[in-house]
Every structure is written in C-alpha cells, then in structure tokens.
Amino acid sequence: MHNWIPNSSPEIRGELLRDLGLKDVSELFSDVPPQLLLARDLNVGFGRTLAEYEVVRLFNTLISKNRLSEVPSFMGGGLCQHYVPSAVKALVSRSEFYTAYTPYQAEIAQGLLQALFEYQSLMADLYGVKVVNASMYNGSTASAEAVLMAARAKKRRRILISESVHPEVVEVIRTWGFGAGLELVNVGLDRESGQISLSDLRSKLSDEVAAVFVQTPNFFGVVESVVREVIEETHRVNALSIVYTHPLALGVLEAPGAMGADVVVGDVQGLGVGLNFGGPSAGILGINDDKELLRQFPGRLIGATRTVDGRERGFTMILQTREQHIKRERATSNITTNASLEALAAAVHLSLLGSKGLRRLGEAILGRTHYLVKSLSRLESVDLLFPEALHFREVGVRFPVNAAQVLRTLASRGVYAGPDLGRFRGELGDCGLVCVTELHTKRDIELLVELLGEVVGRGG
C-alpha cells in the first residue's frame, strides 16, 4: 500500500479485504490492463509524510517566490483585469447565495429567483433584447448554445463565423457542433480595417446558412462598425444573426439587439467577476421576441407572477430544457444549471453602476484605449495590427521580433502583457495583444510603452 493513500492500520485494511473476499488491494484493479498499472511507488512528496507545521512552512517558502507587479496586468485575450467593488464581494458572499445552482425545488428560494430575475431583466435592457436566460457557464458555451439553437430553429446546418471571433470561442462552438453535424464556414477578415469582410460574407451567404456569428469588439479589440450591415445581409437569406458583445462595451456602444440582432451573447467577466484564474464566469444569452426561438431556447428562465388575488408578487422557473425533465431526444440542451453566483455578482455590479456609471466606466476604458493606441503609435519599432481601427480595451501590436520573446522580457521587468497571437495563428507569431481597463493610469500606460521601447528599440 502506498504511503500517501491510506491512513488506516494494516489490521483494518486486512479486515476490509477479508470482507471483500480479496487477498490484496491490487485485485480491486484487476480489470485494468496490466501494462497500464504502475509497478512502482509514486514519485511524489518528500519520502515521508510532513507534519502540518512543515507543510505551512513549505508553502510559505513557495509563496514568497511570487513576484507582485506594481502595475495592473496588461494581459487580455478575452479575460481582462477589472475592479470588483467590495460591495459586490460582500453581497455575493452571503450564505443564502453561496450555491452554483438554481435550486431543484426552485420556488422555495424566492430571494434567489428574484435575484436571477433581476439579472435577466438588467441584461435584456443592456443588450437591447426581450429575453435573457438565467445565464450559461461562460461566453463560449453561450455561443455554442446560440449556434445550436439557430440550427434547430432554421433546420439548417451551415454556420458562418467571422475570422475576427475569439479562436477559443470558435473551438468550443466547433466541439459542441460536431455531434450535431454543424458545418462551420470561416468568413475572412478585412486586412485593413480588422473587421469582418462584407464581400466575403456576401459570397458565402445562401439559403443553406442557419446563422452568421460576429463579435464586437472583436478578438483584436476592434469595434466592428459593420454589424448592422452584417445583420441586414444575414436576414436577406432568412438566417439568424448572432452578435457576441462584452457588457462593459455597451456603456459606449449601441446594443446589438437595438441594431436588429436575433441572438446576443457575452461573458460577464469584468462586471463584478474577477479573473478567477480563467474561470468561473457566467455566459449571457438573449433573444428578441421570437416565439420559434423561445421554443428552442436553452437553459433556464425565471419569471415573475402574482397570486390569484393579485396582492402578492412571486417568482417561478418558467422554462428549463434540461434533458432529464423531458424526453431526451426532444431536449434542446444538456445544460443542467446556470452560473447563479457569477450572474448575481454581475447584477449587483450593474445595479451599483446604474446607466450613468456604466457609461462613465465605458468611457474610461475607451479613453485609456485611445491613449494606449496614441502612445504605441509613437514607437517606430512596433506597428499596430490595425492602425485605422477604433479599439476598445484591447489592441493588437506587431513587434520586430518574436512576440513571445518580447512578452517574456516584459514579464521579467514586472509588466505583463499578451497573449502572444502566435498561440492562435502561426502567421501572427510576431504579434501580441495589450489590454487596458479602468485600473490603468496614464503613468501605467506610459511605463508600458517606455519598457516596450527599451525591449524592442525605439526606432527612428
């Protein structure tokens, strides 16, 4: 028996084995092919068990090696560092909210249902649509559900996706769509503007297309100014338009629902939800007033109602598409719950901001992004990936050398930026993203540009 697995004495283990009719523990694994079994002790630990105080001392030694940056992170790629107000943390830490699930007997928890109803209502207003569900796991799973919903509603299998959509979102859509037999077709990028190419889109639209998926601001931080045109072109072939937008951008940009988008998606990370080591977050999924789409809507919907005498208001789960509650083959989704805690955090933050606060926050990010673009433009040794574009929060930069090397050198100086775009596309190995939010001061941005000048040379 390995040192790290059991704590019981040999006598107790022997008694358990006798009751099971076994002579040795290895017989429990007799159905595992012998070539897959490890024939030696695990090479872990320190050769002996450590006392609790030794473990504490060991971890303190390891933690002391962490290097804390003096400036907020400039790393982007979809997840960015934003400020989460203390009030949000205090409210979502209340024990009655401390569950990832909508309750199985939902109507018992009226307070939680009301909180989710408020989340749905706030997000519907923000995105300019009629219906938003109680949240998905994150933006990528919301996107995959949106695409599957469109394919069911239109009874078509072809999906057009802009090349400017986050590659990891596309991968999730591709994975989820594989079993449903979806055909994903890439729509090219306009190399000058950094936006979806309308001419390529028009050449690929047909009556076999179920939906067109576009993101704004897109993966490169570029605000897509042609979203309305994309929606109009999509509707010409009776397909559905799906628009992915970050909620903080909607403080300064027009809501996709107001532009005519049929389906809206997003991710609440940054709105009351921190980086959380890459997750968890909550996915936003909404539709306009379309009964056919509502029949295919995944996830859960919380509704408000009144008692028979009309004197009291109550909340109830009015839609859930979980497969085990209906015939499996008729289920529209296998999503068994939502991301309640993160959705609640987003609702609390949005309530604290109000419409004016959200606009000021959006303007703060937009202004810092503009200053970053302006400052980077002065460095002759780097180029903006899309110099003529309007950016929000993230900016693509081309370096004179390998991007990973530049970003590693910056990190060694205590400034973190990225990711290296070569991770996603080989031809962009000399490019990286830089992200700014409300946390960055003018001096922070100037420090980044100064260091970048030292690392790659100022040119000129």
Side-chain angles (χ1 to χ4, degrees):
M1 192 69 75
H2 195 277
N3 291 336
W4 311 107
I5 297 175
N7 250 342
S8 54
S9 66
E11 292 76 18
I12 292 176
R13 293 200 296 270
E15 186 176 344
L16 287 169
L17 288 171
R18 281 193 297 277
D19 283 352
L20 292 170
L22 303 174
K23 294 180 179 177
D24 189 86
V25 170
S26 62
E27 294 178 42
L28 289 169
F29 308 99
S30 59
D31 55 341
V32 179
Q35 66 271 22
L36 298 180
L37 292 174
L38 198 62
R40 57 171 174 77
D41 287 345
L42 288 172
N43 183 23
V44 297
F46 297 87
R48 63 181 179 84
T49 52
L50 298 183
E52 183 176 318
Y53 75 90
E54 290 178 300
V55 173
V56 171
R57 189 166 181 174
L58 172 66
F59 274 83
N60 284 337
T61 302
L62 294 174
I63 290 170
S64 69
K65 294 180 180 178
N66 284 342
R67 299 177 60 187
L68 298 178
S69 174
E70 294 180 359
V71 296
S73 171
F74 290 96
M75 295 190 77
L79 300 180
C80 302
Q81 188 176 359
H82 288 273
Y83 185 70
V84 178
S86 299
V88 174
K89 297 174 184 174
L91 287 171
V92 301
S93 297
R94 291 179 63 92
S95 59
E96 58 266 46
F97 294 131
Y98 239 34
T99 173
Y101 288 87
T102 45
Y104 281 92
Q105 294 173 309
E107 283 67 32
I108 291 175
Q110 283 292 301
L112 186 54
L113 289 193
Q114 180 175 358
L116 291 173
F117 180 80
E118 301 294 351
Y119 161 82
Q120 295 175 176
S121 304
L122 288 166
M123 286 300 167
D125 276 352
L126 187 60
Y127 278 77
V129 293
K130 298 293 185 184
V131 184
V132 168
N133 72 9
S135 73
M136 312 304 286
Y137 294 143
N138 53 38
S140 61
T141 58
S143 300
E145 288 284 1
V147 165
L148 290 169
M149 174 175 63
R152 290 193 302 269
K154 290 298 178 183
K155 297 181 174 56
R156 303 172 183 175
R157 290 287 175 266
R158 186 173 299 167
I159 308 293
L160 303 187
I161 300 185
S162 170
E163 194 182 335
S164 59
V165 173
H166 196 305
E168 291 174 343
V169 171
V170 176
E171 278 306 300
V172 173
I173 293 173
R174 190 182 307 283
T175 302
W176 285 39
F178 176 78
L182 297 189
E183 178 194 3
L184 304 190
V185 178
N186 191 48
V187 179
L189 191 68
D190 184 300
R191 301 297 169 187
E192 294 296 321
S193 68
Q195 303 182 49
I196 184 174
S197 166
L198 283 176
S199 59
D200 194 38
L201 173 66
R202 291 187 185 108
S203 71
K204 292 172 178 172
L205 279 170
S206 71
D207 58 6
E208 295 180 348
V209 172
V212 174
F213 192 106
V214 65
Q215 178 181 5
T216 181
N218 64 31
F219 177 56
F220 304 103
V222 174
V223 176
E224 298 267 2
S225 62
V226 294
V227 171
R228 198 180 292 275
E229 286 88 339
V230 170
I231 294 170
E232 289 173 358
E233 292 293 336
T234 303
H235 288 170
R236 289 185 205 283
V237 296
N238 192 29
L240 295 173
S241 54
I242 304 172
V243 181
Y244 188 119
T245 312
H246 193 278
L248 291 182
L250 297 179
V252 288
L253 301 179
E254 187 174 8
M259 288 191 278
D262 302 291
V263 185
V264 298
V265 288
D267 191 306
V268 303
Q269 193 281 317
L271 184 61
V273 176
L275 288 168
N276 296 342
F277 297 98
S281 184
I284 302 158
L285 177 57
I287 57 174
N288 258 315
D289 192 13
D290 184 319
K291 291 182 180 177
E292 182 54 36
L293 277 183
L294 190 58
R295 289 191 188 95
Q296 301 293 336
F297 205 43
R300 297 177 167 190
L301 271 182
I302 309 302
T305 186
R306 289 200 170 276
T307 53
V308 174
D309 58 9
R311 298 174 61 183
E312 294 185 65
R313 190 172 69 156
F315 298 90
T316 182
M317 191 179 295
I318 57 174
L319 174 75
Q320 55 180 331
T321 55
R322 187 178 182 177
E323 65 174 16
Q324 66 203 62
H325 295 306
I326 57 178
K327 290 181 180 178
R328 184 181 296 266
E329 66 274 13
R330 297 184 64 83
T332 55
S333 169
N334 190 32
I335 292 291
T336 58
T337 182
N338 67 323
S340 288
L341 194 64
E342 289 73 24
L344 175 64
V348 172
H349 195 180
L350 207 48
S351 301
L352 290 170
L353 285 169
S355 56
K356 291 181 181 176
L358 182 66
R359 181 173 181 81
R360 283 199 294 270
L361 180 54
E363 288 173 344
I365 298 170
L366 187 63
R368 283 159 174 76
T369 312
H370 178 70
Y371 188 68
L372 173 66
V373 169
K374 190 177 171 183
S375 302
L376 288 170
S377 300
R378 295 197 191 102
L379 278 179
E380 295 186 15
S381 52
V382 302
D383 293 314
L384 297 178
L385 203 50
F386 302 108
E388 303 301 323
L390 172 65
H391 292 81
F392 181 85
R393 205 169 67 148
E394 300 198 55
V395 179
V397 181
R398 188 183 298 279
F399 305 110
V401 293
N402 179 272
Q405 178 187 334
V406 174
L407 298 174
R408 275 198 302 271
T409 307
L410 285 177
S412 70
R413 306 279 292 272
V415 172
Y416 297 89
D420 158 28
L421 292 181
R423 276 178 49 192
F424 306 100
R425 295 178 187 175
E427 74 274 15
L428 296 180
D430 57 348
C431 300
L433 289 176
V434 180
C435 174
V436 284
T437 68
E438 73 281 3
L439 294 177
H440 295 93
T441 64
K442 183 180 178 185
R443 179 58 196 145
D444 292 334
I445 297 172
E446 289 169 348
L447 174 65
L448 169 71
V449 175
E450 285 172 17
L451 282 176
L452 205 50
E454 292 176 16
V455 172
V456 299
R458 296 182 184 281

